[in-house]
Amino acid sequence: VDQRAVRRANLGVVLEHVADSGPVSRATIAAGTGLNKTTVSSLVAELIEMRLLAETGDDERPGNVGRPAQTVRLSGNGVVSLGLEINIDYLATCATDLTGQVRHEHAVAVDNRNSQPGRVMGRLATLARRALADVEAQGLSLAGVTIAAPGLVDVASGTVVVAPDLGWRDVPLADLAAKRLAIRDVPLRVDNEANLGALAELWTGAGRGLSDFVYVSAEVGVGAGVVMGGQLYRGAFGFAGELGHLTVDPDGPRCTCGNRGCLAMLVGEDALLEIAGIEGPTEGSARLAATTLADRIRGGDTRTEDALRQIGEWLGLGLAGVVNVLNPEAIILGGYLGALVEWLEQPLTTALSERVLASNWAPCRILPSQIGEQAAVHGAAALPLREVISDPSSIRMHA
Amino acid sequence: VDQRAVRRANLGVVLEHVADSGPVSRATIAAGTGLNKTTVSSLVAELIEMRLLAETGDDERPGNVGRPAQTVRLSGNGVVSLGLEINIDYLATCATDLTGQVRHEHAVAVDNRNSQPGRVMGRLATLARRALADVEAQGLSLAGVTIAAPGLVDVASGTVVVAPDLGWRDVPLADLAAKRLAIRDVPLRVDNEANLGALAELWTGAGRGLSDFVYVSAEVGVGAGVVMGGQLYRGAFGFAGELGHLTVDPDGPRCTCGNRGCLAMLVGEDALLEIAGIEGPTEGSARLAATTLADRIRGGDTRTEDALRQIGEWLGLGLAGVVNVLNPEAIILGGYLGALVEWLEQPLTTALSERVLASNWAPCRILPSQIGEQAAVHGAAALPLREVISDPSSIRMHA
């Protein structure tokens, strides 16, 4: 039993080494992990059989003399995992393989405000089945499913505790999804969309190499994912990052949560469109709206430009508090904000420099998301694969 | 060399075990640490010689049958460390021994607003020398000194980067202190007062057993210490917890930092005294002011009661943002706030329940500090002793 546990752990050690180092020879894996070459060869053979690793053929880098070493890399032809996203005005799916390649991706504009969870899940399930059929046709096996949802999510039970913009309370989303999708034997999880967006940026986006940052997700709703010391910080009860319902204007407009002057009311997509005088909800996604706005400003529309400055000032006021308390290296602007960073950066930088005591000594950078509006659904897809990489044997248990 | 390193580490293992478990026998230490009995006896003998452990004599707990085991405990007669505090309206000193007993404590009211760092350090040095003479007379050896200061502190260089209420910028406090105190061969550090207060509450106060909390320090200035996952969180550059300069009223009064409507302007001691119609700065400490206010309210002074409610509402507005973003288990009210929790709890709880989205599912507790106004200077004194406990040999190096 002990030996099996050691072998299981070593499979993870080897797969993680390859994931971190790119194509490597067995000898390099042995040198890097401290395992002996015979063991490495046997582990690599098993990982190839599991379709998690693949031979790359002879290493043909120029300057390599002598007999070239046979190298292995992560396999894109074995497992895939599925990210699903429920947001206020769209549904999205994304399937990625172990190399990080997107193998299926789709998004549809749907108004989910004050919606029936069963109906929304029904629509999402249709999209999910299409994605699953597509990746199955590509010969890939499913390693896990994660659903990104706005609001407070209880990850342990897969419940959306409250999502004011959807009008949801205590929705057992994991249970609903399990029934609709008939997915068995692979992990099915629900997580907050901003947390998943932050993880995606940390793993493959603007957060790579950063230790402490706050990822801001802004579509209709506004949320945040807080990364500290290179780890997602979830808070004592799992509800950290609730940036959208931060009070920035105590006498401001009434919010869907019942309070007044929440940041989401002042910088969410609805506010942006209203200030800019655009009828909403727009057909298409928030990204489309952002593109429209950018085009207008470039065409000389000062009203839209002023609207964005106002958004930037409110957002800056809210973020200044967060930066004072957390002293992060960077704020990563996600959702529609990333596409408009050109006009938001200046009011945000001004707000932080005026309102953050440490700003002269520890300036906080404003970075646009590198993944864009898809960050949450990409993070949702990547999450199960991260687990496969650290514990490859886990996929056997559900196969 | 390697064997020396092992022995050095094992001295720490044994001392930490005794610190965590109270009086224990050598056999219990061996069982608890996995070290063999002969090694434990030798390590204990060395720690006794270093005056870090002491024999307790026979264990006379009732119900103990057979030959009672000889137990050892932390020694209160060996080392001591010194905490010094510079605050806006007082200076304080505190020396504690390894058992946590306070061996010297003193505080004086001094108005340090817009002060000369050299002059303040001169006064503090006089108090420090008195403390050192006192503990030396008690036969104790100095293990380290920590200075608590308000504002942004660069811990690595011992510099107060900015402390708006003192009017200080880039003050090399560790260097000034080293010159004035002629302390050699023991660690001399500077840290933010709210961080040290948070550590004191975590180690010996209201934060014991909590994993995620925010300690609020409020005297004239307002700061916070953020504890996450049982550890003090310092932020990317060491400046986390800057609660005092959080904007809560964008059009509010001008602050010493140059901005408007900072929380410190609205809930600091000056605001409290002004709203309550008390002339300030009061003689004596913030605690004295808090006691005066409590007495007034108990005597039926509704104006003071209203002032406190107003303070609680502003503080609640600022803390609601922090709680939305961090989702902590508790807020610990330190400084003058702890003594007035009776009147602050209700407006704070109301603000959090109205403005924190997760408040119905993950209520954040409001706890008074257990250490009180002395939290920062107690934390300052405790810090070097924590290091002695984890690495007892470190004291030899400076002896």
Side-chain angles (χ1 to χ4, degrees):
Chain A
V1 178
D2 235 26
Q3 270 195 326
R4 256 189 238 168
V6 169
R7 186 164 176 94
R8 181 174 176 165
N10 284 341
L11 283 169
V13 167
V14 170
L15 196 58
E16 279 183 333
H17 184 83
V18 179
D20 291 345
S21 313
V24 279
S25 69
R26 289 164 178 78
T28 308
I29 297 172
T33 61
L35 296 166
N36 74 51
K37 288 190 193 177
T38 317
T39 306
V40 167
S41 288
S42 159
L43 292 164
V44 165
E46 187 169 344
L47 291 166
I48 288 173
E49 196 196 303
M50 293 167 82
R51 300 195 301 160
L52 300 176
L53 286 184
E55 305 274 4
T56 45
D58 292 346
D59 187 341
E60 297 179 29
R61 282 173 302 172
N64 224 9
V65 295
R67 195 171 67 89
Q70 197 84 6
T71 63
V72 291
R73 54 169 173 75
L74 292 183
S75 168
N77 297 317
V79 295
V80 75
S81 74
L82 182 62
L84 303 174
E85 182 178 4
I86 295 170
N87 218 312
I88 319 303
D89 59 353
Y90 66 87
L91 296 173
T93 58
C94 175
T96 54
D97 66 32
L98 208 55
T99 69
Q101 287 299 303
V102 173
R103 305 299 288 257
H104 178 96
E105 189 161 34
H106 192 64
V108 291
V110 188
D111 187 355
N112 291 320
R113 287 173 179 83
N114 299 312
S115 55
Q116 297 281 348
R119 188 169 297 179
V120 174
M121 195 58 235
R123 281 184 177 159
L124 188 65
T126 303
L127 301 179
R129 276 189 293 265
R130 200 178 301 164
L132 290 171
D134 185 6
V135 295
E136 200 179 328
Q138 295 177 58
L140 300 162
S141 314
L142 187 67
V145 179
T146 311
I147 307 176
L152 305 181
V153 175
D154 180 49
V155 173
S157 66
T159 304
V160 175
V161 172
V162 64
D165 292 314
L166 298 176
W168 291 10
R169 274 208 174 206
D170 293 316
V171 174
L173 198 59
D175 292 348
L176 288 178
K179 266 183 223 158
R180 293 275 189 172
L181 291 175
I183 284 170
R184 272 176 215 95
D185 307 324
V186 300
L188 170 64
R189 294 207 194 77
V190 182
D191 206 335
N192 172 271
E193 55 88 24
N195 283 346
L196 291 167
L199 286 172
E201 294 291 342
L202 175 67
W203 292 332
T204 60
R208 266 176 303 182
L210 296 182
S211 171
D212 302 78
F213 67 85
V214 177
Y215 168 78
V216 181
S217 159
E219 316 273 359
V220 176
V222 174
V226 177
V227 171
M228 295 177 175
Q231 303 279 330
L232 181 70
Y233 178 73
R234 292 183 176 274
F237 306 94
F239 302 142
E242 201 36 76
L243 188 72
H245 298 280
L246 202 91
T247 308
V248 283
D249 181 11
D251 306 317
R254 180 74 64 188
C255 178
T256 51
C257 77
N259 193 13
R260 286 192 174 281
C262 294
L263 188 64
M265 296 299 292
L266 296 157
V267 312
E269 202 190 323
D270 289 351
L272 177 69
L273 296 178
E274 195 191 316
I275 302 171
I278 299 173
E279 289 281 315
T282 44
E283 277 308 302
S285 67
R287 195 189 351 168
L288 193 62
T291 311
T292 309
L293 293 175
D295 288 347
R296 284 187 180 204
I297 299 174
R298 290 204 183 92
D301 177 348
T302 54
R303 184 175 169 188
T304 301
E305 197 169 2
D306 288 347
L308 265 190
R309 187 176 308 115
Q310 199 172 322
I311 298 274
E313 284 166 6
W314 283 120
L315 185 61
L317 182 60
L319 286 177
V322 176
V323 174
N324 264 313
V325 173
L326 294 181
N327 185 217
E329 297 164 271
I331 299 289
I332 298 177
L333 297 180
Y336 85 77
L337 299 170
L340 299 170
V341 70
E342 188 176 337
W343 299 281
L344 291 168
E345 192 174 3
Q346 199 261 316
L348 281 176
T349 306
T350 302
L352 294 185
S353 85
E354 278 176 8
R355 300 188 184 281
V356 174
L357 188 61
S359 58
N360 286 343
W361 298 273
C364 177
R365 291 191 288 158
I366 307 291
L367 304 174
S369 154
Q370 282 179 9
I371 307 176
E373 208 190 4
Q374 304 81 3
V377 77
H378 276 223
L383 195 63
L385 296 174
R386 290 266 148 179
E387 286 167 22
V388 169
I389 287 172
S390 66
D391 183 15
S393 304
S394 63
I395 60 164
R396 279 243 186 78
M397 299 189 307
H398 13 94
Chain B
V1 178
D2 234 25
Q3 269 195 328
R4 255 189 240 168
V6 170
R7 186 165 177 95
R8 180 173 177 166
N10 284 340
L11 283 169
V13 168
V14 169
L15 196 58
E16 278 185 332
H17 185 83
V18 179
D20 291 344
S21 314
V24 280
S25 68
R26 289 163 177 79
T28 308
I29 297 172
T33 60
L35 297 167
N36 75 51
K37 288 190 194 177
T38 316
T39 306
V40 168
S41 288
S42 159
L43 292 164
V44 164
E46 188 169 345
L47 290 166
I48 288 173
E49 197 195 304
M50 292 167 83
R51 299 195 302 158
L52 300 176
L53 286 184
E55 305 272 5
T56 45
D58 292 345
D59 186 344
E60 296 180 27
R61 283 175 301 174
N64 224 8
V65 294
R67 197 169 67 88
Q70 198 84 5
T71 63
V72 290
R73 54 170 174 74
L74 293 181
S75 169
N77 297 317
V79 295
V80 76
S81 74
L82 181 63
L84 303 174
E85 182 179 4
I86 295 170
N87 219 313
I88 320 303
D89 59 353
Y90 65 87
L91 296 173
T93 58
C94 173
T96 54
D97 66 32
L98 208 55
T99 70
Q101 287 299 304
V102 172
R103 304 299 288 258
H104 179 96
E105 189 162 33
H106 192 64
V108 290
V110 187
D111 188 355
N112 291 321
R113 287 173 181 84
N114 299 312
S115 54
Q116 298 280 348
R119 188 171 299 180
V120 173
M121 195 60 234
R123 281 186 176 158
L124 188 65
T126 304
L127 300 180
R129 277 189 291 265
R130 199 178 302 163
L132 291 171
D134 184 4
V135 296
E136 198 181 329
Q138 296 177 57
L140 300 162
S141 315
L142 187 66
V145 180
T146 312
I147 307 177
L152 304 182
V153 176
D154 180 48
V155 173
S157 66
T159 304
V160 175
V161 172
V162 63
D165 292 313
L166 298 176
W168 290 10
R169 275 207 175 206
D170 293 315
V171 173
L173 198 59
D175 292 348
L176 288 179
K179 265 182 226 160
R180 292 277 188 170
L181 291 175
I183 283 171
R184 272 177 215 94
D185 308 323
V186 299
L188 170 65
R189 294 207 193 78
V190 183
D191 206 336
N192 172 271
E193 56 87 22
N195 282 347
L196 291 167
L199 287 172
E201 294 291 342
L202 175 67
W203 291 332
T204 61
R208 265 176 303 181
L210 296 182
S211 169
D212 303 77
F213 68 85
V214 177
Y215 168 79
V216 181
S217 158
E219 317 273 359
V220 175
V222 173
V226 177
V227 171
M228 295 177 174
Q231 303 278 331
L232 181 70
Y233 179 73
R234 291 183 178 273
F237 306 94
F239 302 141
E242 201 35 76
L243 189 71
H245 298 279
L246 202 90
T247 308
V248 284
D249 181 12
D251 306 317
R254 181 73 64 187
C255 178
T256 50
C257 75
N259 191 13
R260 286 193 173 280
C262 293
L263 188 64
M265 295 300 291
L266 296 157
V267 312
E269 203 190 324
D270 288 351
L272 178 69
L273 297 177
E274 194 189 318
I275 303 171
I278 299 173
E279 289 283 315
T282 44
E283 277 306 304
S285 66
R287 198 192 345 169
L288 193 62
T291 311
T292 308
L293 293 174
D295 288 346
R296 284 187 179 204
I297 299 174
R298 290 204 182 92
D301 177 349
T302 54
R303 185 176 169 189
T304 301
E305 197 170 3
D306 289 347
L308 266 190
R309 187 176 309 116
Q310 199 172 322
I311 298 274
E313 284 167 6
W314 283 120
L315 185 61
L317 182 60
L319 286 176
V322 176
V323 174
N324 264 315
V325 173
L326 294 181
N327 185 217
E329 300 163 271
I331 298 289
I332 298 177
L333 297 179
Y336 85 77
L337 299 170
L340 298 171
V341 70
E342 188 177 338
W343 299 281
L344 291 168
E345 192 175 4
Q346 199 261 316
L348 282 176
T349 306
T350 302
L352 294 185
S353 84
E354 279 175 9
R355 300 189 185 280
V356 174
L357 189 62
S359 58
N360 286 341
W361 298 273
C364 177
R365 289 191 288 159
I366 307 292
L367 303 173
S369 154
Q370 282 179 9
I371 306 174
E373 209 190 5
Q374 304 82 3
V377 76
H378 276 224
L383 196 63
L385 296 174
R386 291 263 148 180
E387 286 167 22
V388 169
I389 288 173
S390 66
D391 183 15
S393 304
S394 62
I395 61 167
R396 277 240 189 80
M397 299 188 308
H398 11 97

